[in-house]
Amino acid sequence: MMQPKIHQTYQPIPLKHADKTASNKEKQTSFKEVLNNQQLKVSKHAAERLKERNIEIPDEQWKKISEKLTEAKNKGVRDSLVLTNDAALIVNTKNHTVVTAMDKQATEARVFTNIDGTIIM
């Protein structure tokens, strides 16, 4: 009686560890880019104030404000007063959200509370 021969085949198993490392780096870069390019949000309250007070901020200035807020956040600032030529914004840096907005007339009292940093544009 003849026994069937079993032939062992060698198939190298691809190392997925290297692929995972590369994809993790890509994910980290993507996450970092998202943080650096985080869009500034405007709360409903702030949007109403901007509209009521006819405050218009150009897109380019919003981008600069967002960049400065990222810097402030990295320095530990939680709530920031952002002063522009035409307005004052209170911004929560953690959420990257404009909480409220005032025009020049509303800022004449020159007293701002609950902030721990100021950005002058």
Side-chain angles (χ1 to χ4, degrees), residues 35-52:
L35 284 178
N36 289 337
N37 297 322
Q38 188 175 26
Q39 293 295 319
L40 191 60
K41 296 175 230 141
V42 179
S43 71
K44 183 178 177 181
H45 173 79
E48 289 172 2
R49 297 300 165 266
L50 288 166
K51 186 175 179 181
E52 284 173 5

Side-chain angles (χ1 to χ4, degrees), residues 54-119:
N54 294 322
I55 300 169
E56 293 184 24
I57 299 175
D59 289 341
E60 187 173 308
Q61 189 166 25
W62 281 118
K63 184 178 177 183
K64 288 178 184 177
I65 291 169
S66 182
E67 290 169 1
K68 290 296 181 185
L69 285 169
T70 301
E71 288 179 37
K73 183 178 180 180
N74 291 339
K75 292 181 179 187
V77 175
R78 293 176 307 241
D79 293 296
S80 180
L81 168 65
V82 178
L83 296 173
T84 68
N85 290 336
D86 302 318
L89 310 171
I90 303 295
V91 185
N92 179 284
T93 58
K94 180 181 176 185
N95 300 327
H96 228 67
T97 304
V98 178
V99 178
T100 194
M102 296 158 272
D103 58 9
K104 282 268 186 182
Q105 293 173 345
T107 62
E108 287 183 12
R110 298 179 191 254
V111 176
F112 299 93
T113 59
N114 298 325
I115 61 166
D116 59 356
T118 302
I119 298 170

